Amino acid sequence: MDKEPFNRLTDEPDLALRLIMEKHGEQLTKWIRNFIPHNDELVKDAVQETLIVLWSDADKVATAKDPFMWMMVIAKNVSLSKLRREHQDRRVPLEEIENLSCNIQADTELNYKDTVDDIVLNASKLTPREQEILIGSKLHGMENKELEKKHGLAPQRVRNLLSSGLKKIRQLLKD
């Protein structure tokens, strides 16, 4: 990913945060929605808190090897922390217990989120183009035609990048 907006955090933090949101804001919001699916206010809070962490750790971000992935990991941690705080004091009346999801479903959802986290962390080991295509396709649900248009690639190139990225991720997850 392009490091330029992140590099500006130390010298021009206001401009840098605006550029980061213009370039990555949609991805950041979609990523946070993976953890906080049905609460728009909590999603907005998580985005803001992620930006605050970027601003307060500007030196670390500017020198990070992959500041985009660093931001996404911070967003995940902020989201999970907000969810914990949101549900910490929540009490469920006995009448509603039958409506709670069963342990199997909860475990399945947790395993799914853990798998997604593993994929995102391992995606940093792919080439930048494979990373963009894989994350766009699999995490953000973009169609191949959208990826072709967004990245200016031929249809076969998108298919090849997606195939090689998936192959590498499978191998990394096996190891």
Side-chain angles (χ1 to χ4, degrees), residues 10-95:
T10 53
D11 300 328
E12 303 170 284
D14 293 336
L15 175 61
L17 290 175
R18 192 165 16 90
L19 291 173
I20 289 168
M21 283 307 292
E22 285 174 9
K23 187 168 188 171
H24 304 294
E26 187 176 322
Q27 289 175 296
L28 179 63
T29 303
K30 284 181 180 179
W31 177 241
I32 289 173
R33 282 192 196 286
N34 287 327
F35 305 103
I36 309 172
H38 304 293
N39 190 333
D40 290 341
E41 289 303 314
L42 210 54
V43 168
K44 289 177 188 176
D45 289 347
V47 169
Q48 292 301 315
E49 198 168 318
T50 301
L51 293 176
I52 289 168
V53 172
L54 286 177
W55 180 78
S56 64
D57 290 342
D59 293 334
K60 288 181 191 175
V61 177
T63 59
K65 182 179 177 185
D66 190 350
F68 175 78
M69 290 307 293
W70 190 89
M71 176 181 70
M72 297 305 254
V73 170
I74 293 299
K76 172 195 161 204
N77 293 337
V78 166
S79 299
L80 294 177
S81 176
K82 288 205 158 294
L83 270 179
R84 271 188 233 104
R85 276 185 260 140
E86 182 78 11
H87 296 290
Q88 195 170 26
D89 293 328
R90 189 172 167 195
R91 304 282 188 246
V92 178
L94 288 176
E95 300 83 40

Side-chain angles (χ1 to χ4, degrees), residues 104-169:
I104 294 171
Q105 182 180 355
D107 287 343
T108 302
E109 291 173 6
L110 186 60
N111 288 338
Y112 173 77
K113 288 181 181 177
D114 286 344
T115 302
V116 169
D117 292 346
D118 288 341
I119 290 170
V120 169
L121 290 175
N122 283 310
S124 65
K125 297 173 185 165
L126 302 175
T127 66
R129 191 60 95 173
E130 286 173 331
Q131 185 178 358
E132 291 173 345
I133 298 298
L134 183 71
I135 289 174
S137 174
K138 299 305 177 188
L139 294 181
H140 302 301
M142 294 175 73
E143 299 289 329
N144 284 7
K145 292 209 183 277
E146 291 175 275
L147 293 167
E148 294 164 17
K149 184 187 255 185
K150 180 177 181 183
H151 299 290
L153 298 171
Q156 186 61 46
R157 180 73 176 137
V158 169
R159 289 191 295 272
N160 290 347
L161 287 167
L162 189 55
S163 175
S164 65
L166 286 170
K167 184 177 179 181
K168 288 177 184 177
I169 288 292

